[in-house]
Amino acid sequence: MKSIALTWPTRWLFAALCLLGASVHATDTAPNLTLHGQLDGHDNQTYRSVPFDVPAGTARITVAFDYTGHEEHTTIDLGLLGPDGFVGQDGFRGWSGGSKQVFTVASTDATPSYLPGPIRPGRWTLLLGIPNIRAQAHASYRARIWFGGPNDPPWQPAVLNPPLTTRAGWYRGDLHMHSGHSDGSCASQSGEHKVPCPLFLTAQAAARRGLDFIALSDHNATSQLNELRALQPWFDRLLLIPARELTSFQGHANLFGVAAPLDFRVGSAQVPDWNTLLRQVQSLQGLISINHPIRPSGEICMGCGWTAQPAADLALVQAIEAVNGKDAQTPYSGIGFWQAQLDRGYRLTAIGGSDNHNALLDPAQGGVGTPTTVVYASELSQPAILAGIRAGHVFIDVQGSRDRLLELSAQQGAQQVQMGDALPAPRASEVELSVHVVAVAGGRVELLLDGQPLPRAAPLPLNRADQHLSAHWRSDGARHWLRADVYDADGKLVLVGNPVYLNPAPPAPQQQATAAGTGLATP
C-alpha cells in the first residue's frame, strides 16, 4: 500500500528523515572498476571477451552494463565467466543475453540468469555477444563493476536495490515469517498433501494484505536470499528484506539485512554463548531482535523461550518481538519482557511479526500481516526501513489493519521528539504530549510512564476516526520512558507504541547479570 501521509510530525520529521535518506544513499560507492570498449560493423555476430581481475576477499561481483547505438538496432548480449572459463569449479556463471543491464553474483544469491557460488580471486571475464551491429555503425560500451566484501549488506551497491518509493512516510510490514526454505508448509496444488510452502505464496499473501515490506526469516537458512533476488523485480510495490531466524536451544532471534553465512550453534565449542553470536552480528552491521521471549521451551517448543546462559548483553540487540502472532493480550505476550528491559535502561524497539508458517492461512486466523509493524522511514528501501526500526520510529498494529495510525510526540521548551527519540526534561519542567490516532473511534489511549498509567492522566477517549489528543506531565528530572497504547471499543489492545526516552542515562559499562536464569545482562 502507499505510505500514510503525516500531520503534526511531518514538518519537523520529514526534514530530519530526508537527511537520514541522504545518509543512506551516501553509503553507495563508486564502482571499483570501469571498463570501456568500442564496436563496429566488423563485430557483427561475434563474441568478445572482456577480462577483469577480481581481488582476494571479494564476496560479491555486481555489474552494470550500458552501451550506445540502440537507435541503429545495435544489440549486445552479456554473460559472465569465472577464472576457469566454461569449465571447472568456478567457470560458467551465467548468460542473461540482452535481458538485464545490472546483475550480481555472490555465494548466497545471484540475479536470475546467473549462478550463486564462491567468488574466487583471479581473472574473470565479461562475455559479450553481438547479434547485430550494422556494417557502417559504431557503438561504445561501459561496464561498471563493484567488488563487495564479505560483511557488506545485501542492498549494496544501491544500483542493485533502488528504493521502491522515495517518499517519507509510515510503511507497514511483517517481520517474521517462514517458507519452504525452512518449516513453512501448506496444502499442495491438489489440496491432498502438505508440502513445503513456496516463498512466492508468502510474498503474494503479503501483497494482497496491502503490506509495503516483509522479512523472510527462515530458520538459520540463507537459501531464501537467492529466491528473494529473483522475486523482487516482480514485486515492485512490496519490499523483500533478507532475514533469518537464528534458532538455538537457548532462544530465537531474527537477524535482518545480512546475507553472509553465520554460525548459529549457540552452546557449541565454536559459538559458546549468545554473546559470541551477537558480537558476530554486530561486525556484520545486522539488526537483531529477540523473538517470542517468554514462550515455553522444551519438547513443546524447542528453544522458543529466551534462556540465554550466560546472560546476553542486550546492548548488542536492537529490538524485541513484543507481539508474535495473536499473543498481544495473552500470557505469552512479549510486551512485559520488553518493558522490563526498558526499565533496565535499554533502548530496544518493540516490533511485531506473524511468525507465519502457512502462507495460505486466512488473515482472520492470524495469517501473514497479523500483527503489522509500522515503520516511519525516509523511503521504501532496505536500509531506510532498518534505520527506522533502529531509531524506534515504530508502532505495532496488533490486528494488522490497513489504516490505523498512532503518532506520539513529546515537547519540552523548543525541542520536540517522537517515538524512539530522547528528550531532556529538567526537574519541574513541563512536558507536553501530543497523540494522533486514526481509525479507532470509540476506543481509548492509555499513556504509560515506566509501564504504569501516567500520573494524573486518565485514559483519553477517542470519539472520532481521526483525532488529536494532548496531555501534560511535570518532570521530576529522573530517567523515564513514556509511551502510548490504544484500545478499541471492546477493550482489545490494537496499537502498541514505542517510547519517548526522558533524561536517558548515558550507556554504562556492561556487567554480568547478577540474577541467575534471566538470560540477560544488566546495563
Side-chain angles (χ1 to χ4, degrees):
M1 65 181 294
K2 303 298 184 184
S3 61
I4 301 173
L6 296 181
T7 53
W8 54 263
T10 304
R11 298 180 183 89
W12 63 272
L13 188 58
F14 181 84
L17 287 181
C18 281
L19 292 176
L20 171 62
S23 67
V24 165
H25 284 109
T27 62
D28 191 26
T29 58
N32 299 100
L33 182 65
T34 301
L35 307 174
H36 297 274
Q38 303 292 326
L39 301 173
D40 59 30
H42 295 92
D43 295 296
N44 188 49
Q45 296 188 1
T46 65
Y47 295 95
R48 178 177 291 194
S49 294
V50 182
F52 62 97
D53 292 323
V54 174
T58 299
R60 179 181 298 278
I61 299 172
T62 299
V63 177
F65 186 80
D66 57 84
Y67 61 93
T68 64
H70 296 276
E71 70 283 353
E72 296 183 287
H73 300 282
T74 297
T75 303
I76 304 178
D77 292 340
L78 190 63
L80 181 68
L81 303 178
D84 298 325
F86 274 94
V87 297
Q89 63 175 341
D90 210 352
F92 177 72
R93 296 303 288 265
W95 178 260
S96 55
S99 69
K100 298 175 179 70
Q101 291 181 304
V102 178
F103 70 84
T104 191
V105 173
S107 62
T108 54
D109 60 273
T111 301
S113 304
Y114 294 88
L115 299 173
I119 305 298
R120 189 153 55 93
R123 177 144 292 193
W124 290 57
T125 302
L126 283 179
L127 184 60
L128 308 186
I130 303 93
N132 189 67
I133 183 168
R134 293 173 179 174
Q136 304 304 317
H138 292 80
S140 61
Y141 65 82
R142 178 182 66 161
R144 292 175 292 155
I145 302 176
W146 288 262
F147 301 128
N151 294 349
D152 288 353
W155 58 77
Q156 289 183 350
V159 68
L160 270 179
N161 299 281
L164 300 190
T165 74
T166 56
R167 295 183 303 275
W170 289 104
Y171 292 98
R172 314 181 81 89
D174 190 339
L175 291 172
H176 189 168
M177 51 187 60
H178 300 274
S179 73
H181 287 271
S182 59
D183 57 349
S185 61
C186 57
S188 63
Q189 183 183 20
S190 67
E192 297 179 2
H193 308 285
K194 187 177 182 180
V195 297
C197 207
L199 192 155
F200 178 83
L201 294 181
T202 299
Q204 189 175 55
R208 288 173 177 167
R209 194 74 190 268
L211 299 183
D212 300 301
F213 65 88
I214 55 174
L216 279 299
S217 54
D218 282 301
H219 295 283
N220 296 327
T222 58
S223 58
Q224 70 273 21
L225 301 181
N226 195 49
E227 195 168 354
L228 293 181
R229 184 72 69 188
L231 291 177
Q232 184 66 87
W234 193 86
F235 287 98
D236 58 358
R237 293 184 294 181
L238 176 69
L239 181 68
L240 308 178
I241 299 176
R244 75 197 82 164
E245 186 169 17
L246 300 172
T247 306
S248 80
F249 308 134
Q250 300 176 24
H252 299 183
N254 268 1
L255 171 61
F256 304 99
V258 171
L262 193 66
D263 192 341
F264 54 83
R265 297 172 295 169
V266 173
S268 68
Q270 293 77 11
V271 190
D273 53 38
W274 262 103
N275 287 323
T276 303
L277 182 51
L278 292 174
R279 284 189 290 269
Q280 293 180 43
V281 168
Q282 187 179 45
S283 70
L284 295 170
Q285 307 172 58
L287 189 154
I288 196 161
S289 74
I290 295 174
N291 291 345
H292 40 68
I294 64 166
R295 286 290 197 276
S297 291
E299 292 182 354
I300 296 176
C301 189
M302 185 61 67
C304 289
W306 187 255
T307 58
Q309 290 296 332
D313 178 0
L314 292 198
L316 301 174
V317 173
Q318 291 78 47
I320 301 290
E321 188 181 67
V323 182
N324 175 282
K326 302 179 74 174
D327 73 1
Q329 287 179 289
T330 74
Y332 296 124
S333 168
I335 293 174
F337 177 94
W338 165 57
Q339 293 191 146
Q341 312 324 312
L342 300 180
D343 286 340
R344 300 170 68 233
Y346 291 108
R347 291 173 61 173
L348 299 166
T349 303
I351 61 175
S354 67
D355 205 354
N356 179 263
H357 284 68
N358 181 354
L360 303 181
L361 192 66
D362 188 273
Q365 298 176 312
V368 170
T370 305
T372 296
T373 299
V374 191
V375 181
Y376 192 92
S378 60
E379 63 184 19
L380 185 54
S381 68
Q382 292 181 34
I385 291 295
L386 297 185
I389 295 172
R390 286 180 184 275
H393 299 161
V394 172
F395 69 87
I396 304 169
D397 187 334
V398 173
Q399 296 175 347
S401 78
R402 292 174 181 252
D403 56 357
R404 285 177 175 158
L405 179 65
L406 170 60
E407 297 174 323
L408 169 70
S409 71
Q411 183 169 352
Q412 193 282 311
Q415 185 172 355
Q416 185 186 51
V417 301
Q418 71 144 339
M419 289 184 291
D421 298 336
L423 180 69
R427 182 178 179 83
S429 64
E430 193 81 3
V431 177
E432 181 179 350
L433 306 170
S434 299
V435 185
H436 179 208
V437 179
V438 174
V440 199
R444 70 182 192 276
V445 177
E446 289 194 356
L447 295 172
L448 302 173
L449 184 72
D450 303 331
Q452 301 300 317
L454 185 69
R456 297 180 295 280
L460 306 173
L462 294 166
N463 303 316
R464 299 186 301 276
D466 189 331
Q467 191 163 354
H468 295 264
L469 302 162
S470 63
H472 298 268
W473 176 71
R474 186 170 294 276
S475 174
D476 59 6
R479 184 186 75 183
H480 298 282
W481 54 270
L482 191 153
R483 65 179 197 85
D485 280 339
V486 179
Y487 295 81
D488 67 10
D490 297 324
K492 293 180 179 178
L493 178 63
V494 293
L495 300 174
V496 177
N498 270 281
V500 167
Y501 298 93
L502 303 170
N503 304 314
Q510 298 304 304
Q511 303 171 355
Q512 293 298 318
T514 57
T518 62
L520 306 167
T522 52

